[in-house]
Amino acid sequence: MGAPRLRQPTPAVRGAGLEPGRLLAAVDAAVSYYRAQLAHVDAPRAYLAERGLGVIVQREWPWRVGYAPPGWSTLTGHLRAAGFTPEELIGAGLSARTRTGPDRLIDVFRDRVMFPVRDPAGHTVAFLGRSGPHAGDVPKYLNNPRTAIYNKSHLLFGLAEQQDRVTARWTPVLVEGPADVLAVWLSYSRSGRTGAVALAPCGTTLSDTQASILRELPGAARGLVTAFDADPAGRAAVDRAWHLLRHARCPGPLLAAEFRAGADPADLLRAPHGRARLRATLRRAQPMLDTVVDHRLTRLVERHPRLLEDIDGRCAAVRALVPLLFEATSPQEAITVARRIVAHTGVGVDTVATVAIAHLEGSLRDLSWLGDCRPTG
């Protein structure tokens, strides 16, 4: 029998019109069910141990990580027996109808390590489901659909669980996913010192709302660090974070931690002395704008491998990088970026200055043209 096809829910926001308390109760019951499953299945426990997160299996709080079994409707059947209606299970984002059998419900999450997502009040409102290492061609993370109690762009994973560290003004670190959040959390669990508190978007990209939440954290005055994978997706995530956080006007410096290619905080945790190495990597974070400059040049060279071999190519690279000078948050940062462009391209300081002046004049001409626009007639 083939996999049932999901029927797209209507309305777009599930659970609209239902009692929010019942949706929260359904999600909380799912947390307990998934947690119980984790205690009796070897593969997800072995996966967590391999990632250096084995302590999460024995310690329920504050994360309450669980496991969704592979059956089509194991959770659905369990919660229906507990008295929840089909509408409530669909409204909570836990179950879905199929196109071929609209009266048949199946589980949204199957064969995944389950990370509960909490709102600021501490209520579990959703899940992030992580596939196992041998899951095949499926998304690595599956996010809860949007519901009346959950909007992924308005929450950060790990914030509710780490209020003690947030209140103590620990430095916020933005990471890719829940495994990275837990890796940083464990790295400071025995350090006995002020450190970093990791948070992750509940999705693939950082939103304006999430950037505003980060800006308002007490520790943001110490700085705000990104710690993403050293791959194209990770580089793009840093660049987007720079754009949003720069406009959010964070009170402290914006920094980026550098990892080796294909690695992330959770990978580093598994290495010998991984906790200490992860803490050291976060402490060595460099200005985020420097990292953005490096990323832009990397993309240029990937598209044009011989770009820096002659003066014309080097000048073209300077023209592509110079606009970042004007994104600097201070004159000193702009000077640092200019020096970085000189070092990476091999041109003189006077060339960078000339290109910067030309770029500024072009921008002023554009503004002047806009200012001259008047209605006619």
Side-chain angles (χ1 to χ4, degrees), residues 303-326:
R303 290 197 298 266
H304 309 285
R306 304 182 65 179
L307 180 69
L308 302 179
E309 293 182 6
D310 57 47
I311 188 61
D312 288 339
R314 291 197 291 271
C315 287
V318 172
R319 286 193 293 272
L321 297 174
V322 150
L324 294 174
L325 276 173
F326 299 92

Side-chain angles (χ1 to χ4, degrees), residues 153-156 159 208-217:
S153 66
H154 290 177
L155 296 176
L156 289 166
L159 185 58
D208 291 307
T209 302
Q210 290 165 336
S212 297
I213 294 172
L214 288 166
R215 177 194 181 282
E216 297 298 329
L217 295 178

Side-chain angles (χ1 to χ4, degrees), residues 104-174:
R104 180 189 175 197
L105 294 187
I106 63 172
D107 297 345
V108 169
F109 297 98
R110 300 180 300 277
D111 191 19
R112 289 179 178 269
V113 175
M114 302 297 289
F115 298 93
V117 178
R118 293 180 175 83
D119 65 13
H123 301 301
T124 305
V125 294
F127 293 94
L128 297 174
R130 173 62 159 89
S131 64
H134 309 296
D137 188 20
V138 297
K140 182 166 71 170
Y141 279 103
L142 181 62
N143 201 326
N144 217 99
R146 183 177 177 182
T147 70
I149 59 173
Y150 173 62
N151 184 338
K152 68 179 181 180
S153 66
H154 290 177
L155 296 176
L156 289 166
F157 177 83
L159 185 58
E161 292 84 350
Q162 301 180 91
Q163 279 301 307
D164 55 342
R165 298 183 178 190
V166 170
T167 303
R169 305 178 69 85
W170 285 29
T171 302
V173 176
L174 185 66

